[in-house]
Amino acid sequence: MDYFEFYGLPESFELDAAQLKKKFYELSKKYHPDFYTAESAEKQEEVLQLSTLNNKAYQVLSDPNKRVDYILRQHHLLAEGDKYPLAPDFLMEMMELNEQLTDAGDEATFNQIKTSVKEASDALEAELAQQTKGFSSKTKAEQDAALKKVLDIYYRKKYLLRIQESLNTFATR
């Protein structure tokens, strides 16, 4: 079952955290297995599955990055093992950052790289916010166009995250 449908919410990249939490607790009470101990084994299994679904749905929808991943998968834009073609200029920029990181011999250079990565990350977050704003109220064609742009942002963020992990590795040396 679709997590948004399960919570009775429109598909959206922007969710009201308080509303989501309220719905989670409401369904947690409704589907708590302890309230169904006198029921049949089939009913207990059904409630256990709904309780598990509630926990998984909340875990995904409450995390903005997992929510993006989930929405892209729901629209069949993301699958395991996909080879997404990133723009050559982005790849060149990331390759330059990786080379700088490999050659970084002093703290000043390392901090400069950290700043560049942070700026790139912030720019991607701003671009993502722009593409996802008001998603549920867009037309189908507008949603499709936004989803394609979100997919590109998603892959660029993943690439940048790998560089961030390399930065963290270098920082602990």
Side-chain angles (χ1 to χ4, degrees), residues 105-145:
D106 57 56
E107 192 170 335
T109 305
F110 183 77
N111 287 335
Q112 181 184 2
I113 297 166
K114 270 177 84 170
T115 300
S116 295
V117 170
K118 172 85 168 96
E119 288 170 355
S121 181
D122 289 348
L124 283 174
E125 287 299 330
E127 192 178 343
L128 181 63
Q130 180 184 16
Q131 291 302 322
T132 59
K133 186 173 176 77
F135 180 80
S136 61
S137 63
K138 292 180 178 183
T139 66
K140 173 80 169 109
E142 290 171 330
Q143 284 183 348
D144 289 344

Side-chain angles (χ1 to χ4, degrees), residues 24-38:
F24 169 71
Y25 285 131
E26 177 185 312
L27 293 175
S28 291
K29 288 179 188 176
K30 182 177 180 179
Y31 298 125
H32 197 286
D34 289 350
F35 297 134
Y36 295 87
T37 55

Side-chain angles (χ1 to χ4, degrees), residues 96-107:
E96 287 172 14
L97 279 174
N98 269 322
E99 286 176 14
Q100 289 174 9
L101 184 57
T102 302
D103 296 339
D106 57 56
E107 192 170 335

Side-chain angles (χ1 to χ4, degrees), residues 16-112:
D16 179 339
Q19 180 186 12
L20 183 64
K21 188 177 271 191
K22 179 181 176 186
K23 191 67 175 174
F24 169 71
Y25 285 131
E26 177 185 312
L27 293 175
S28 291
K29 288 179 188 176
K30 182 177 180 179
Y31 298 125
H32 197 286
D34 289 350
F35 297 134
Y36 295 87
T37 55
E39 297 288 335
S40 67
E42 294 83 18
K43 182 67 175 179
Q44 288 180 28
E45 181 61 31
E46 176 189 340
V47 168
L48 183 60
Q49 288 177 359
L50 289 168
S51 177
T52 301
L53 176 62
N54 184 41
N55 288 321
K56 286 180 182 177
Y58 183 74
Q59 183 181 47
V60 168
L61 297 182
S62 64
D63 181 306
N65 292 320
K66 289 179 182 178
R67 188 167 51 241
V68 167
D69 183 276
Y70 178 75
I71 291 172
L72 290 172
R73 288 181 190 281
Q74 287 297 102
H75 288 271
H76 309 288
L77 295 172
L78 198 59
E80 296 303 318
D82 279 353
K83 300 285 186 200
Y84 184 81
L86 289 165
D89 59 329
F90 175 78
L91 290 172
M92 285 299 291
E93 184 182 341
M94 294 302 107
M95 192 169 70
E96 287 172 14
L97 279 174
N98 269 322
E99 286 176 14
Q100 289 174 9
L101 184 57
T102 302
D103 296 339
D106 57 56
E107 192 170 335
T109 305
F110 183 77
N111 287 335
Q112 181 184 2

